[in-house]
Amino acid sequence: RIARMKVWAAQADVQSIKEKQGIITIALSEAGTLQVDGAKIVEQSMEFGRAVGFGMDGIKLILTIDTKKCGSKLPLEVLESMMEIIATTKKA
């Protein structure tokens, strides 16, 4: 699972994945942000409800996963799903 997520991270140009105080933060590089379709990522992440949040750091896309709001899913499952979504949701 971790190896697969690393491949997706490389494909999506993810700059970092960090966890602090129950919040997992996925930061895309500027190039990664420019190549993903943000609207589609938001749409596909709706299944996770309020567990997944979105923001920007300058022109870099930042996604957060609140591990306390993952409900019946394990935080690692949500992270894995979000990594796949990020890697496969490119602008046309």
Side-chain angles (χ1 to χ4, degrees):
R1 291 174 99 175
I2 299 297
R4 186 172 42 236
M5 284 192 278
K6 285 182 177 184
V7 169
W8 287 330
Q11 289 173 347
D13 211 354
V14 171
Q15 191 170 15
S16 66
I17 302 172
K18 298 178 182 179
E19 188 276 334
K20 185 176 181 180
Q21 298 179 345
I23 303 293
I24 300 169
T25 303
I26 305 166
L28 275 69
S29 68
E30 291 178 14
T33 299
L34 292 172
Q35 70 183 0
V36 298
D37 187 328
K40 286 183 182 176
I41 291 174
V42 171
E43 180 183 321
Q44 291 183 24
S45 69
M46 290 296 188
E47 71 176 286
F48 305 115
R50 295 181 180 263
V52 177
F54 301 90
M56 298 295 290
D57 179 12
I59 64 168
K60 296 177 185 178
L61 178 62
I62 307 294
L63 291 89
T64 57
I65 300 169
D66 187 333
T67 60
K68 296 173 201 85
K69 296 180 180 178
C70 290
S72 64
K73 295 199 181 280
L74 295 172
L76 184 62
E77 292 173 330
V78 177
L79 174 59
E80 184 176 17
S81 293
M82 288 308 302
M83 292 303 299
E84 181 177 15
I85 290 167
I86 293 166
T88 59
T89 308
K90 307 285 185 188
K91 287 183 181 171

